[in-house]
Structures are given as structure tokens and as C-alpha cells.
Amino acid sequence: NAGVMQNPRHLVRRRGQEARLRCSPMKGHSHVYWYRQLPEEGLKFMVYLQKENIIDESGMPKERFSAEFPKEGPSILRIQQVVRGDSAAYFCASCSMANTEAFFGQGTRLTVV
Amino acid sequence: EDKVVQSPLSLVVHEGDTVTLNCSYEVTNFRSLLWYKQEKKAPTFLFMLTSSGIEKKSGRLSSILDKKELFSILNITATQTGDSAVYLCAVAIQGAQKLVFGQGTRLTINP
């Protein structure tokens, strides 16, 4: 049973480009969280999704950021027109139901140059 | 605003020492408290606590929750260099369906 898989592990984008981060949850998990971690800081909640449904996106910036979790395939976090301040590690976590522990992927480190 | 505060932010001890990490919280609708260990990359799950006063134990690690005083502690006895990591505390919010994380405690164990 593979764990939570995120790809790519490292992503470099120029300012103004788009970044797409993928997360495949653990087998049997239908809930996905996305978190952002800036250097020397804790994890900041961005969005919580179920299959085909955004449950809570209160931590997501209103512009340029979007997330989806389609019926088939991985969850995608999409950042349009990236800026230097978007450079961070983005972690995905999955769980089987809303009230169970979440397991994290290895993260995607996004660097905007 | 829901808030989770960990202390200390950084701790350096010698191998063999015992450490206690603190996590206090102020949230609207508490569901559970979770501890994670983060080394180079992904946080790994340690404990989930939902009831007050019941200690959870795993080897040299143990944790307990006090829902009246709104805090939890994570204890590590006989520390080893492999315990060096950032320890994250998170609170799961009922209804909001999200985990709110503290800033983490960076623990360094020197040989």
C-alpha cells in the first residue's frame, strides 16, 4: 500500500508561469488536504477536498490559486502567474474520513526564479 | 481565530536526556489533537488524542491531553540523535474539517 505520492518533488518556475502540483492519496483515502510551509514556519492550511468537491478553501489565496480532486486521478494544486513569494514546500495529506489521522506526502518544493 | 502555539520553538539537549514539548490551543470547536514528527520532508504521524487524561505511548514517546487547560505535552525519554526533528502539533476542528498547525518545535539531540 503506497503512501501519499506527490510529484514533482522539486519544481522550478519563472515568474509569471504556471505551477501544477499533483497528489495521489493513499489507497482507500477519499479526503485530501493541501498545506504550504514557508522556511522556518509551521504548516499553513490551504484547502480540503473530497472527490469532486471542495469542502473548505478558507486558507487558499483568492487569486491565482485553485485546487481540484477529480473522480479519477490525483488532486491538483494549480498556481497561475507565480511570484517569488509562492516559493515554499507544498504538502498534501490524505485521510479516509474527516475524523481520522492524516498522512502526508513528501511534499513539492516550489522555487520561483 | 483558531490558534495553536508550541513551545519552546527550539530545544537542544544531550543524548539520553528527557524532553517535554508543549502545545496549547485556542479553537472554536475542538475535535482532536495530533502530533507529527518532521525530519527532512514529510511529517510523519505520531499520536492522535481525543480524550483528556489518557496517556498514549509508543516506545520512548508519550503524549497526554488536557482539554480543561487546553494543552498537550509530548514526552521523549532517553533521547537519541535520531529524535532530532521538528515536532508539529495540530488540532482538528469539528465542522471546519481542517488541521490547524503550530509553528513546530525544532529539537536537536547532540551526541
Side-chain angles (χ1 to χ4, degrees), chain A residues 5 7 21-26 29-30 32 34 50-52 68-76:
Chain A
M5 304 298 291
N7 69 81
L21 288 62
R22 291 174 186 76
C23 169
S24 297
M26 282 177 74
H29 286 189
S30 57
V32 163
W34 283 95
Q50 278 180 293
K51 289 269 184 185
E52 300 184 282
E68 62 175 12
F69 189 13
K71 189 176 176 183
E72 302 290 337
S75 175
I76 308 278

Side-chain angles (χ1 to χ4, degrees), chain B residues 3 12 15 20 24 55 85 94 104-106:
Chain B
K3 198 163 61 171
V12 181
E15 214 169 8
T20 299
S24 63
E55 187 184 50
Q94 198 81 262
T105 293
R106 183 174 295 278

Side-chain angles (χ1 to χ4, degrees), chain A residues 5-6 8 13 22-23 26 28 31 39-41 44 46-47 49 52 59 64 75-79 85 95 108-109:
Chain A
M5 304 298 291
Q6 287 188 248
R13 283 287 176 267
R22 291 174 186 76
C23 169
M26 282 177 74
H31 298 243
E40 307 302 322
E41 290 190 15
K44 294 278 194 304
M46 296 183 75
V47 63
L49 309 110
E52 300 184 282
R64 303 188 297 108
S75 175
I76 308 278
L77 178 68
R78 185 174 170 221
I79 311 172
C95 59
T108 293
R109 184 162 298 281

Side-chain angles (χ1 to χ4, degrees), chain B residues 25-100:
Chain B
Y25 60 91
E26 282 178 43
V27 301
T28 46
N29 227 344
F30 176 90
R31 189 176 75 221
S32 59
L33 186 143
L34 298 93
W35 284 97
Y36 288 86
K37 178 183 181 183
Q38 186 176 22
E39 294 173 269
K40 291 282 194 295
K41 295 285 182 185
T44 53
F45 172 78
L46 294 175
F47 297 111
M48 182 166 78
L49 304 150
T50 51
S51 302
S52 241
I54 297 173
E55 187 184 50
K56 290 225 172 170
K57 210 166 160 58
S58 175
R60 296 176 293 102
L61 276 67
S62 64
S63 183
I64 198 159
L65 173 68
D66 185 328
K67 286 165 80 171
K68 187 179 172 193
E69 299 297 329
L70 308 182
F71 77 91
S72 172
I73 59 171
L74 176 69
N75 270 327
I76 310 175
T77 58
T79 51
Q80 302 170 359
T81 53
D83 296 326
S84 296
V86 174
Y87 289 83
L88 295 165
C89 169
V91 171
I93 310 292
Q94 198 81 262
Q97 312 289 16
K98 65 184 180 188
L99 294 174
V100 178

